[in-house]
Amino acid sequence: MCGIVGYIGKRKAYPILIKGLHRLEYRGYDSAGVALINGQGQLNVYKAKGKVSELEAYAADKDTDGCIGIAHTRWATHGEPNTVNAHPHYSESENLAIIHNGIIENYAVLKAGLQQEGYTFKSETDTEVLVQLIEYTQLNRQVDLKTAVQLALQQVIGAYAIAVLDKRQPDTLVAARKGSPLVVGIGEEEYFIASDATPIVEYTDKVIYVEDEEVVKLSTKGQSTEDEGIDISTINGVEKTPEIKRLELSLSQLEKGGYPHFMLKEIFEQPRTLTDSMRGRINVRQDNIALSGFIDNKDRFLNAKRIIITACGTSWHAGLIAMYAIEEFAQIPVEVEYSSEFRYRKPVINKDDVVVAISQSGETADTLAAIQLAKSKGAFIFSICNVVGASIPRVSDSGCYTHVGPEIGVASTKAFTAQVTALTMLALCIGREKGTMSEDHYLAVVRELGQIPDKISRVLEQDARIADFAKTFTYAQNFIYLGRGYNYPVAMEGALKLKEISYIHAEGYPAAEMKHGPIALISQEMPVVVVAPRCGTYEKVVSNIQEIKARKGRVIAIVTEGDELVSKIADYVIEVPETEECLTPLLTVIPLQLLAYHIAVVKGCDVDQPRNLAKSVTVE
């Protein structure tokens, strides 16, 4: 959701900024723009609606000179997607330019005050209000750019990651954040800023993660050491010492590696990424799991009266699967909450509660706010995240990184299976330590978990067949997905994947709930995907399939290898290897990812950048 990139140094800024915008395209956007200060001290802003390529075409014959600049991909909040509302925005004098990710909640009040002072506005955005406020502050208080940003932000209510240029200070770039991610990259006599590390990794592995309400001034003037040109303080003027960290990211992870789309690459990466996620946590004998986040805080889990899982989207589905596992293994009551609802409904939170937050990016605004609320009530916060150094793990008491590498496709695939894996390992650790799980059962699940990557590889061998019959269903306008037990959340996840990238309406239901309403929708035109591995309530799911077929529904079934019963009833069957019931989601979700992908491709949809969606929802 919105992408920010900036550069100050000795190189030409424009190629670095454009490449950075391409790296950030996966976040989702509807327009793009760039601001540059050239060698003559001119501040040039170029913007275009649509893809970054549209911006490149527009700027092809423009002056793109300069060694300092900022660039942006916008996901519209205030004002429709168009060139006027695209970032960067000039101040009224055109001395300043700003880019912004976030929402200024009190922008209307600020705008009214500025209009009374004679300021006029060209766009409908809250961002233009902010740059005008910074200029007004700069002029009226007679201060430099950084101080003006600090004073202006003291008046702002909302979330922001911003970068600001002043053509009268051509050797200075000022950035700040609150509630939206921002990282600074440190090179040799040069600095980079970005929403995440993807635009930076090509140039440096040294970064600073900017904290909430911090303002960063970057300057190359007179720089002799790597951090001499970095000045960080809070919006209230408290000086901070930069903490430089090393990136755990490689450029090859950001390339498609021969696949037509990042999503397909990430689906096929899952045998390796799950191996990476479990490495060092399951011992070589595959008879024990060690999670440092659990070991270091064992008593908080063992004494927990309740575990609350909070997440959004795909991560929420992973949380539902964890609820089944934790309650089965550890006998602790679990509630799974949408973060957006949890943060606003005045939840009852106790000091002996454990709150588990799940977020691929670690920057999900609602989840971050939810855990901050829970933490203020004394709850223990444990996070499951993929991005090292992100906001959610930084504010958590403990946690577990999934270590699957960057996920570029907007529709989450490998992050989901890694989250389920991490949560299953957590459930196993709690259950064994509490003594609520037999040792034989514990060992069986641990050993089987170690075999899951190889079993996923076997499922992926069916890709060509899934691609072939997926063509049959591009006509559909609606799908129903059904599952029970551990596979009910998988049904919802499969439906979400189809909605996200093919724009076909789909809903996931518990199979037994079909007779309580959804069965009215069954017809020859309604494909029904049934997740039916041979475990748990298998016989009951078979009955549900027979009810669908009796009404001429078309059934795609996900079954255990060797299943003969469902294979005789369903129209299409995809087999997965047999495994422990609690681990079936890690296998049954793979065909659903592939099905959604291939339907979307045949329909000609933009699989990696589906319309209206952002990879990381960093604003409400």
Side-chain angles (χ1 to χ4, degrees):
M1 180 171 290
C2 291
I4 284 176
V5 62
Y7 175 77
I8 178 171
K10 298 180 295 183
R11 307 189 223 191
K12 295 297 183 184
Y14 180 75
I16 295 171
L17 298 175
I18 289 296
K19 187 177 286 187
L21 292 185
H22 281 299
R23 295 264 187 243
L24 292 171
E25 284 186 297
Y26 77 97
R27 295 172 67 89
Y29 70 105
D30 46 56
S31 59
V34 61
L36 301 153
I37 301 176
N38 68 13
Q40 291 73 49
Q42 294 176 314
L43 177 57
N44 296 312
V45 171
Y46 309 121
K47 306 191 286 188
K49 178 183 175 182
K51 299 293 187 182
V52 175
S53 57
E54 299 293 328
L55 172 64
E56 290 181 273
Y58 176 73
D61 60 351
K62 306 293 191 299
D63 176 11
T64 57
D65 188 32
C67 298
I68 178 173
I70 54 177
H72 189 266
T73 50
R74 177 179 187 249
W75 192 85
T77 55
H78 297 74
E80 66 179 79
N82 59 31
T83 302
V84 174
N85 289 328
H87 299 204
H89 287 286
Y90 277 123
S91 63
E92 188 155 291
S93 68
E94 297 192 356
N95 287 328
L96 307 185
I98 193 172
I99 54 177
H100 168 223
N101 177 17
I103 291 178
I104 308 303
E105 295 176 13
N106 62 334
Y107 85 100
V109 174
L110 296 172
K111 184 175 183 177
L114 289 165
Q115 286 173 325
Q116 288 180 351
E117 296 292 333
Y119 282 79
T120 57
F121 294 84
K122 298 177 182 178
S123 75
E124 303 168 80
T125 68
D126 54 340
T127 303
E128 189 184 5
V129 175
L130 183 52
V131 73
Q132 303 283 39
L133 178 63
I134 293 169
E135 178 166 271
Y136 174 78
T137 305
Q138 193 179 37
L139 293 172
N140 281 270
R141 301 289 286 272
Q142 293 295 299
V143 293
D144 64 6
L145 180 60
K146 182 189 175 189
T147 305
V149 169
Q150 288 173 309
L151 293 171
L153 291 178
Q154 291 174 22
Q155 303 176 57
V156 165
I157 300 171
Y160 53 80
I162 63 170
V164 191
L165 296 180
D166 185 336
K167 69 180 184 182
R168 296 159 300 182
Q169 296 178 239
D171 55 4
T172 299
L173 190 162
V174 174
R177 71 151 284 182
K178 179 184 178 183
S180 291
L182 193 66
V183 60
V184 174
I186 303 169
E188 293 186 9
E189 298 184 53
E190 61 184 355
Y191 299 108
F192 308 82
I193 62 164
S195 296
D196 61 44
T198 54
I200 292 173
V201 65
E202 185 172 347
Y203 309 102
T204 182
D205 63 353
K206 292 180 288 190
V207 297
I208 297 169
Y209 295 104
V210 183
E211 300 287 349
D212 269 358
E213 296 193 337
E214 286 186 346
V215 180
V216 182
K217 176 183 174 182
L218 302 173
S219 175
T220 54
K221 186 176 181 180
Q223 179 191 0
S224 58
T225 63
E226 66 179 16
D227 61 351
E228 186 176 356
I230 303 173
D231 177 9
I232 303 180
S233 58
T234 68
I235 62 173
N236 295 313
V238 178
E239 295 296 323
K240 304 295 282 289
T241 301
E243 184 180 352
I244 300 172
K245 297 188 176 182
R246 294 277 177 179
L247 276 178
E248 296 180 9
L249 185 64
S250 66
L251 189 59
S252 63
Q253 292 176 302
L254 306 178
E255 304 295 342
K256 292 179 183 176
Y259 288 91
H261 298 94
F262 279 110
M263 183 180 178
L264 188 62
K265 175 194 176 191
E266 288 158 7
I267 291 172
F268 272 82
E269 282 180 337
Q270 288 174 106
R272 178 185 60 78
T273 56
L274 289 197
T275 299
D276 291 344
S277 190
M278 291 185 281
R279 182 174 289 115
R281 292 165 173 168
I282 297 181
N283 64 2
V284 293
R285 296 189 306 275
Q286 294 190 351
D287 61 6
N288 190 43
I289 292 174
L291 289 180
S292 59
F294 170 77
I295 294 168
D296 296 342
N297 303 278
K298 190 183 302 182
D299 290 343
R300 292 305 301 256
F301 286 96
L302 299 184
N303 296 323
K305 298 291 191 297
R306 174 179 62 161
I307 293 176
I308 301 169
I309 298 175
T310 184
C312 301
T314 285
S315 297
W316 187 76
H317 297 152
L320 287 175
I321 294 169
M323 176 182 70
Y324 285 90
I326 293 170
E327 291 192 339
E328 178 186 351
F329 301 161
Q331 297 293 292
I332 299 173
V334 179
E335 298 173 12
V336 184
E337 300 270 4
Y338 281 117
S339 299
S340 55
E341 290 298 310
F342 181 72
R343 64 180 290 196
Y344 285 118
R345 66 169 180 81
K346 297 181 174 59
V348 178
I349 304 168
N350 301 308
K351 291 183 178 180
D352 54 7
D353 287 335
V354 170
V355 174
V356 177
I358 314 171
S359 169
Q360 187 280 138
S361 67
E363 300 291 351
T364 309
D366 285 321
T367 304
L368 182 57
I371 65 173
Q372 287 170 332
L373 170 63
K375 196 168 186 178
S376 72
K377 303 287 187 180
F380 178 78
I381 311 299
F382 187 92
S383 58
I384 306 285
C385 294
N386 185 38
V387 179
V388 175
S391 297
I392 288 174
R394 291 210 305 270
V395 303
S396 299
D397 297 304
S398 185
C400 174
Y401 284 115
T402 51
H403 295 303
V404 299
E407 187 177 64
I408 305 300
V410 167
S412 182
T413 52
K414 65 178 182 177
F416 172 76
T417 50
Q419 288 168 352
V420 172
T421 299
L423 290 160
T424 301
M425 289 191 291
L426 178 63
L428 287 164
C429 288
I430 302 171
R432 188 189 208 189
E433 196 67 33
K434 282 194 71 179
T436 49
M437 183 180 195
S438 73
E439 187 68 7
D440 286 346
H441 189 197
Y442 172 86
L443 292 172
V445 176
V446 173
R447 287 167 181 160
E448 186 60 26
L449 190 57
Q451 303 305 309
I452 288 295
D454 288 338
K455 293 188 175 184
I456 290 177
S457 295
R458 284 160 56 186
V459 179
L460 291 170
E461 291 172 1
Q462 301 175 76
D463 176 58
R465 190 171 67 85
I466 295 171
D468 185 57
F469 76 69
K471 301 171 187 175
T472 306
F473 296 99
T474 54
Y475 74 88
Q477 296 185 20
N478 300 280
F479 263 74
I480 290 178
Y481 285 68
L482 301 176
R484 293 199 73 167
Y486 281 95
N487 287 288
Y488 160 48
V490 173
M492 289 197 291
E493 174 62 11
L496 177 60
K497 289 285 96 61
L498 190 70
K499 281 185 280 194
E500 285 179 316
I501 61 172
S502 75
Y503 317 138
I504 295 173
H505 174 255
E507 295 297 332
Y509 290 96
E513 287 297 303
M514 185 185 66
K515 289 180 283 189
H516 295 272
I519 198 169
L521 300 172
I522 302 299
S523 71
Q524 289 179 320
E525 304 303 315
M526 172 68 79
V528 181
V529 179
V530 185
V531 187
R534 195 169 47 238
C535 57
T537 53
Y538 171 75
E539 290 78 9
K540 295 183 183 298
V541 175
V542 172
S543 297
N544 294 137
I545 294 173
Q546 290 170 329
E547 290 165 346
I548 295 164
K549 293 304 297 177
R551 290 157 179 81
K552 302 189 184 303
R554 304 183 71 184
V555 174
I556 304 167
I558 314 300
V559 302
T560 304
E561 287 177 346
D563 184 296
E564 296 182 359
L565 185 55
V566 174
S567 299
K568 293 177 181 177
I569 309 171
D571 298 275
Y572 301 91
V573 170
I574 306 168
E575 293 189 336
V576 299
E578 189 170 5
T579 190
E580 292 283 332
E581 182 176 6
C582 62
L583 302 180
T584 54
L586 294 169
L587 301 180
T588 56
V589 75
I590 306 299
L592 305 188
Q593 295 172 349
L594 290 169
L595 180 65
Y597 170 81
H598 288 297
I599 290 175
V601 168
V602 174
K603 289 189 67 179
C605 299
D606 190 341
V607 173
D608 286 334
Q609 298 171 39
R611 69 187 183 203
N612 303 331
L613 292 181
K615 181 64 178 174
S616 303
V617 183
T618 58
V619 297
E620 289 189 69

